[in-house]
Amino acid sequence: MGIWDVKPDHERSRWALEPFVGIGPLRFGMNPTEVAAALGQGTADYSTSIPWGGTVTRQERFREVGLTVYYADEIRLAGASVDARLGPQVLSDGTALVGRVPSEMEQWLIDRAEVREPYSELFYMPGADPGSQTLGLVMCAQRVGDVVLTRPVFLASEWIDDVYHRLPASEWATF
C-alpha cells in the first residue's frame, strides 16, 4: 500500500466496542504481553514511556494492525488509537467508527447524545474533536492525502475524566 492508500472496509478486521471494557480482542487492564498475544504480534514496532503527573504512560505502536495502545503505570492497557488508513473497523451499535467523514461522525455523536443526557454525554477536546462520555471515546481526525478521516481513541473509565492530559499531545493532532 502507498502512503495515502486506505484499506477498504471489507479488508479490515471487524471489532466491537464494549465501552470501558475494550475493543475487539483487547480488554482494558491487559498487560503488554497479553496485548501483543491478543493482536497476534510478538512485540510492538515502537515503544516509549511518557512521564505524566507522577505516573508513567507507556505507548506502543503496532503498525501492521494499525493500532497505538497506551498503558497506565506502564502495565495496564488504558487507551487505544485506531489508524484511519489501516486499522481494524470498530463498530458501536452497528455503526462503523474508523475511517469515516469526521462531520458525519460528529453528527452521529450529537444525535446519540440527544436521547441521553446531552450535557453529560458529549464533550469537545481543545482542538474541537468530539467525544462521548458513555462510549469512552474521542473522535480524532487523521489526514489521508487530500481528505481527513476519523481516527477514534478509546479509553478506560479511569482516563475519560482527564483524557486530554492522559495521552501525549501528538495524539490530539491531525496528522
Side-chain angles (χ1 to χ4, degrees), residues 43-86:
T43 58
D45 301 302
Y46 171 81
S47 182
T48 190
S49 295
I50 306 157
W52 180 83
T55 64
V56 178
T57 298
R58 179 175 175 176
Q59 175 188 37
E60 291 186 335
R61 189 168 297 130
F62 295 88
R63 284 190 177 93
E64 267 190 51
V65 180
L67 192 69
T68 301
V69 296
Y70 297 92
Y71 301 94
D73 301 319
E74 296 194 81
I75 56 169
R76 289 182 292 90
L77 181 65
S81 174
V82 180
D83 185 88
R85 291 182 48 243
L86 307 171

Side-chain angles (χ1 to χ4, degrees), residues 1-167:
M1 292 186 75
I3 190 170
W4 298 120
D5 292 335
V6 176
K7 187 185 282 188
D9 255 8
H10 70 275
E11 291 181 15
R12 295 176 187 253
S13 298
R14 295 180 74 74
W15 291 3
L17 167 63
E18 296 177 57
F20 305 115
V21 174
I23 57 171
L26 302 180
R27 295 291 170 262
F28 294 120
M30 286 179 148
N31 66 43
T33 303
E34 292 169 326
V35 167
L39 295 175
Q41 304 285 307
T43 58
D45 301 302
Y46 171 81
S47 182
T48 190
S49 295
I50 306 157
W52 180 83
T55 64
V56 178
T57 298
R58 179 175 175 176
Q59 175 188 37
E60 291 186 335
R61 189 168 297 130
F62 295 88
R63 284 190 177 93
E64 267 190 51
V65 180
L67 192 69
T68 301
V69 296
Y70 297 92
Y71 301 94
D73 301 319
E74 296 194 81
I75 56 169
R76 289 182 292 90
L77 181 65
S81 174
V82 180
D83 185 88
R85 291 182 48 243
L86 307 171
Q89 184 53 266
V90 180
L91 294 112
S92 175
D93 298 324
T95 299
L97 305 176
V98 180
R100 304 281 306 277
V101 175
S103 61
E104 291 174 5
M105 294 313 302
E106 179 182 29
Q107 188 60 55
W108 178 77
L109 287 171
I110 291 168
D111 293 345
R112 191 176 178 284
E114 286 179 355
V115 297
R116 290 168 174 74
E117 289 291 326
Y119 299 108
S120 62
E121 165 67 17
L122 187 65
F123 67 92
Y124 285 87
M125 298 293 287
D129 293 319
S132 167
Q133 291 282 349
T134 60
L135 290 176
L137 87 93
V138 177
M139 198 61 73
C140 295
Q142 179 177 336
R143 180 175 173 238
V144 180
D146 292 334
V147 299
V148 178
L149 299 175
T150 56
R151 177 183 52 81
V153 177
F154 302 96
L155 301 152
S157 60
E158 69 265 21
W159 277 16
I160 198 69
D161 63 334
D162 190 20
V163 61
Y164 186 72
H165 295 104
R166 299 287 184 171
L167 301 178

